Structures are given as C-alpha cells and as structure tokens.
Amino acid sequence: KERYGIAIFAKHPFDLVHADFLTPASRRPFREARGAIWIRLEIAGHRPIHFINTHFGLGRGERRRQAEELLGSRWLGKIPESEPVILCGDFNSGPRSQVFRSLQNRLRDAQSTAPNHKPRATFSSVKPLLRLDHVFVSPHFEVQSVELPDTPTARTASDPLPLCVELTLHPSHEVA
C-alpha cells in the first residue's frame, strides 16, 4: 500500500537539515511524490559532513526537474563547496543521462573514482543490467572501495542491489 520511503541510519550524531519533496505527486499514473533527506553528520575530530539521500522518479522530465531542484538553492546550492558532501540514492538514471552528468558537474561518482573497481550495475537485483543507483561525493573524500553485495538477502530486500562505498575524509578537513 505504498508504505515505503527513504531513510538514513547513522552511528554518529547528526542534525536533520532538510527533508522535503523534490517534485510533487503527478496526476499521471504510477508517478509518486519524490523527495530527499539531508542530514549534517557530526564526527569527532572532523568538520561536519553533509549527507543527502534521495529517490528520483521514473519519468525522464521528472528526473531532470528533481536534479535541478537538488542542485538548486534549497539543497546542494546551499552548501559551500568548501564543505564535504555525500549524495546517494536511486536516481533511476544511468551514467549517460543528463541527470547523471548534471550531478557530476558538482560531485564525483564514487564507482568511477574507486581504485581497482569497474563500475557495476545495481538494477535489477535479480539480474543487474542497469547502473541507476549512485553515490556522489565532493573532492573532500577519497573512495577506498565499492562493494555491491549480491546475496539472496540483498536480492530479496530491494529491487536494486545495495551499493556500499567506503570513504576517507582527507586529513585537511579535520578540526585542528
């Protein structure tokens, strides 16, 4: 009965900065209101880290509007480029899409920058053929590794495979 959504779980303290729809529900069938959640993580010895999780819609135009909104002044545009950012989610958009390219103008794709890693498809979890789920990071981070657990539990839990990225915050962003 459409009782699902997006969430963020963190072992470090955080403040909720913003949670809202990126675009409202559409009158077209199968179109839902899509949104994002933005928290600021407080990790001892480091400057705060901005973390945004989202799930974009199914229509191409809808996804473009959602990317524009996310890059705009209410979301990423509000974060100074000097502050660390992680953006992740199901973007329903592949690496050749306009949505992906527009987000990559602001942040780096973790799968493309991970050492010794060839980007892999996340959708569908049963037979991954499309790379629709992404983790984008600001230059403050070094991507250590990327993993896509392909287990019976992962395939049952969701339609995309989980995308796990291990990051290191550059030492220059530690609090002196």
Side-chain angles (χ1 to χ4, degrees), residues 159-172:
D159 57 354
L161 288 174
L163 176 59
C164 304
V165 178
E166 183 180 348
L167 303 170
T168 301
L169 187 62
H170 291 296
S172 61

Side-chain angles (χ1 to χ4, degrees), residues 94-167:
R96 294 183 180 164
S97 69
Q98 181 180 347
V99 165
F100 183 93
R101 289 190 312 266
S102 67
L103 293 169
Q104 204 171 29
N105 284 335
R106 172 72 161 83
L107 301 167
R108 298 177 304 133
D109 171 44
Q111 283 211 64
S112 297
T113 57
N116 306 313
H117 175 78
K118 180 182 175 195
R120 292 181 40 210
T122 56
F123 183 82
S124 86
S125 59
V126 176
K127 183 174 173 105
L129 298 172
L130 302 170
R131 190 156 85 93
L132 304 179
D133 305 272
H134 309 286
V135 175
F136 294 97
V137 297
S138 63
H140 306 89
F141 295 97
E142 184 175 328
V143 180
Q144 298 298 318
S145 64
V146 175
E147 184 180 341
L148 280 84
D150 190 357
T151 64
T153 302
R155 288 189 296 274
T156 303
S158 186
D159 57 354
L161 288 174
L163 176 59
C164 304
V165 178
E166 183 180 348
L167 303 170

Side-chain angles (χ1 to χ4, degrees), residues 48-99:
I49 297 169
H50 299 275
F51 187 96
I52 300 173
N53 183 17
T54 190
H55 189 171
F56 280 15
L58 300 176
R60 183 180 297 160
E62 175 185 24
R63 291 191 304 270
R64 284 184 190 148
R65 287 189 301 279
Q66 289 162 348
E68 287 171 11
E69 177 67 18
L70 199 55
L71 289 163
S73 62
R74 290 184 345 126
W75 295 90
L76 289 167
K78 203 180 232 184
I79 303 171
E81 291 201 21
S82 62
E83 296 183 15
V85 177
I86 302 167
L87 168 64
C88 66
D90 180 345
F91 293 87
N92 280 311
S93 301
R96 294 183 180 164
S97 69
Q98 181 180 347
V99 165

